[in-house]
Amino acid sequence: AKVLTQWSKAAIQAASDLEEVQNVVDTTFGEGARQIETWAKTAQTQFGLTETQAKRFTSTLGAMMKSAGLAGPEIVSMSTDLAGLAADMASFYNLDFDEAFQKIRSGISGQTEPLKQLGINMNEATLNAFALQQGLTKTFSQMSQGEQIMLRYQYMMQATADAQGDFARTSDGYANSMRMLKTNIDTLKTALGEALIPTLTDVITNINNVVGALTQKHDRTILDE
């Protein structure tokens, strides 16, 4: 009974987390949220990510890009590319998904040290040289914040070419099999929680109604009395 109770709590929390992150996805991507929804559903098979992880990673990156002035389909594609890259880098460098994602998020936002630990140098000199190779006339310091993020993204995708697709290539290995097992368990918890939440919500709503009725008396509370 204790194990069942613990599982139920974990399941409800997992479903609640997915519900909350969905709000962020809808707000961040607007009309593009449907594309994120579709991608997140396939991320488990392709990258070993739960739907919650896929949506959390993409919405975090999307919000960052949006605040820098980027918008539309480009932030959808860039966000899904980088979220998938987090899973591939986790596989390639033997990191946790969250640790790999934090390194990518840091790199896109302009922090160089986390990715440098993996041999990926994204300092201004490197980015200026890359911009020149791409035929750009602006130096990095002359670019807008959005243009800087775009350049970091393009450089990162080039610099991590060896890691891209690594999760799918090595999905039958021990490390990725264990990652996939955890993802499957988390997905099962979320599904269970989604089934439990409507009933639990009704119960909580009824309790709130009863407590509210007991504490109100002619616009005065019991505590006032």
Side-chain angles (χ1 to χ4, degrees):
K2 184 177 180 181
V3 172
L4 181 59
T5 300
Q6 290 175 338
W7 248 81
S8 297
K9 288 181 178 178
I12 290 168
Q13 184 61 56
S16 177
D17 290 344
L18 178 57
E19 190 176 85
E20 290 299 317
V21 79
Q22 184 64 54
N23 292 332
V24 182
V25 168
D26 292 339
T27 302
T28 300
F29 295 103
E31 293 181 0
R34 182 173 296 181
Q35 293 172 261
I36 298 295
E37 186 78 25
T38 300
W39 182 85
K41 296 290 187 184
T42 64
Q44 180 170 337
T45 303
Q46 187 176 2
F47 297 109
L49 297 172
T50 65
E51 184 178 350
T52 302
Q53 285 174 317
K55 290 180 177 179
R56 177 163 55 84
F57 290 175
T58 52
S59 61
T60 299
L61 292 165
M64 182 189 304
M65 295 173 192
K66 191 175 179 180
S67 68
L70 299 175
E74 65 184 1
I75 70 169
V76 174
S77 60
M78 290 167 65
S79 296
T80 53
D81 284 349
L82 293 172
L85 180 60
D88 281 335
M89 287 179 64
S91 172
F92 192 74
Y93 294 105
N94 196 26
L95 305 171
D96 292 335
F97 285 146
D98 282 344
E99 183 180 359
F101 172 71
Q102 290 304 326
K103 288 181 182 296
I104 289 173
R105 185 195 62 77
S106 296
I108 287 295
S109 66
Q111 300 174 44
T112 61
E113 190 58 34
L115 282 174
K116 192 175 181 180
Q117 294 168 359
L118 302 179
I120 302 170
N121 192 350
M122 289 181 62
N123 61 25
E124 188 169 334
T126 301
L127 291 172
N128 273 328
F130 177 71
L132 192 61
Q133 290 174 2
Q134 302 305 304
L136 301 177
T137 57
K138 288 183 180 179
T139 64
F140 185 77
S141 61
Q142 292 172 331
M143 295 178 183
S144 68
Q145 189 177 3
E147 289 171 333
Q148 289 177 347
I149 285 181
M150 181 67 77
L151 187 69
R152 292 189 192 110
Y153 160 78
Q154 292 170 341
Y155 177 78
M156 189 182 298
M157 296 306 293
Q158 183 189 82
T160 59
D162 289 344
Q164 291 168 34
D166 193 75
F167 186 90
R169 287 194 300 269
T170 60
S171 59
D172 57 349
Y174 176 78
N176 281 341
S177 293
M178 290 302 295
R179 289 186 178 96
M180 199 66 197
L181 177 60
K182 184 179 184 306
T183 294
N184 286 332
I185 291 173
D186 289 344
T187 300
L188 178 61
K189 285 181 181 178
T190 302
L192 176 61
E194 287 177 324
L196 292 173
I197 276 182
T199 300
L200 183 61
T201 301
D202 288 342
V203 171
I204 293 173
T205 299
N206 289 332
I207 292 174
N208 283 334
N209 290 337
V210 170
V211 172
L214 290 173
T215 56
Q216 296 296 323
K217 181 180 180 183
H218 304 299
D219 297 326
R220 300 181 68 191
T221 66
I222 290 174
L223 291 178
D224 290 333
E225 295 288 348

